Each structure stands twice: as C-alpha cells, then as structure tokens.
Amino acid sequence: MNLPNKLTMFRVILIPFFIVFLLIPITPYDKWIALAIFVLASLTDLLDGKIARKYNLVTNFGKFMDPLADKLLVCSALICLIELHKIPAWMVIIIIAREFIISGFRLVASDNGVVIAASYWGKFKTTFQMIAVCLLIADLPALHLLTQIAVWIAVVLTVVSLADYVMKNKDVMKENK
C-alpha cells in the first residue's frame, strides 16, 4: 500500500463524512464543511496520480481504485445534490450512465487483454464535474450564472468524452472469432 494508494483510500473514506455534512443538519456551517471535504478529496485525486507517475508507483490496485474512487465521490455528491434540489435528476442520470457505459467498455476490453487509458476528454470531464459540484454546494447567488455554465459544461463534456471513448474503442465490442 504505497502513498498514492493510501490517498485513493483516504478519498473513499472521506465520502461518508462528506455526505453526512451535506445532507444532515449538524452545525450552521455544514455545507462549508462538506465543501472543504469535497475539495480535499478532489485534491487527493490530483495528487495521487502525480505521485504515482512521478515515482513509478503505478499499481494494478491504483489503476482499479483511483477511477472507482473518483466515480464514488462525484456520483455521491451529484445524487445528494438532487435531494437538495440543486441539480436536475436527468443531468445526473446522463453523468452516471456514462460511467456505467465506460466501465462496461473497460470490462470487455480487459477480457480481450486491452487496457483503455483515461483520455483528456475524461480528465476534463472529471475536472468540470468537480468544479460544478463545488459551485453547487457553495450555492452563492453571485455565482449562479457561473454555476449553471459549469454544470452544463460538465454535462456536455460527459457526452463528448463518452463519444470519444466509444469512437476510439468501438473495435473492443466486436466479437473475437
């Protein structure tokens, strides 16, 4: 269990605390605590990958858990934000459906001995999803337009990154004879 993998696991451990502070009124500062936890968890995503690549600490565990931790964090946040009436369910369904489709593609590819690496579109998508979640949690009236733009960019990048994955990896779905 190297440092990048510990950071990934730390991100997963933060998720229930994030959810509690976002959904359960405990203090007058709940949303700010939830936002701080989300930002910290998001930063561990950036950090674990940089450390793993820089010090050649890439592991199979990390290849599996890092994207899973990202999906758990972002999807948990978006589902909570539906409950808080901050984002429409249909947008979250598009985002989560994309994650299922890509995971399916990766599973089929893996069965065929092919590794589907993360694309730049996927990285942009994750970045904008995290920015949008932060803005939605903060819910500052002065940033309402910026928040809406970030949410729409996140949804558009979700669709674009899906199309990019499908186009680049369509041969993965062909049956091997």
Side-chain angles (χ1 to χ4, degrees), residues 19 22-25 76-89 92:
I19 292 169
L22 191 60
L23 293 181
I24 301 171
S76 296
L78 291 169
I79 291 166
C80 291
L81 290 165
I82 292 171
E83 184 167 328
L84 296 171
H85 306 289
K86 306 278 185 195
I87 188 170
V92 176

Side-chain angles (χ1 to χ4, degrees), residues 76-150:
S76 296
L78 291 169
I79 291 166
C80 291
L81 290 165
I82 292 171
E83 184 167 328
L84 296 171
H85 306 289
K86 306 278 185 195
I87 188 170
W90 69 266
M91 288 181 159
V92 176
I93 291 167
I94 288 172
I95 291 168
I96 292 174
R98 182 253 185 221
E99 300 308 333
F100 275 104
I101 292 166
I102 297 305
S103 295
F105 255 85
R106 284 195 167 128
L107 184 61
V108 170
S110 146
D111 283 349
N112 292 327
V114 176
V115 175
I116 299 178
S119 74
Y120 285 107
W121 287 113
K123 292 178 188 215
F124 293 143
K125 176 242 357 152
T126 300
T127 300
F128 269 92
Q129 286 176 353
M130 289 178 172
I131 290 168
V133 166
C134 289
L135 289 167
L136 287 164
I137 293 168
D139 194 24
L140 298 172
L143 297 179
H144 179 74
L145 180 60
L146 179 64
T147 302
Q148 294 307 304
I149 291 169

Side-chain angles (χ1 to χ4, degrees), residues 29-44:
Y29 308 104
D30 291 338
K31 84 172 182 180
W32 300 112
I33 295 168
L35 179 59
I37 293 170
F38 186 84
V39 168
L40 176 63
S42 298
L43 290 174
T44 67

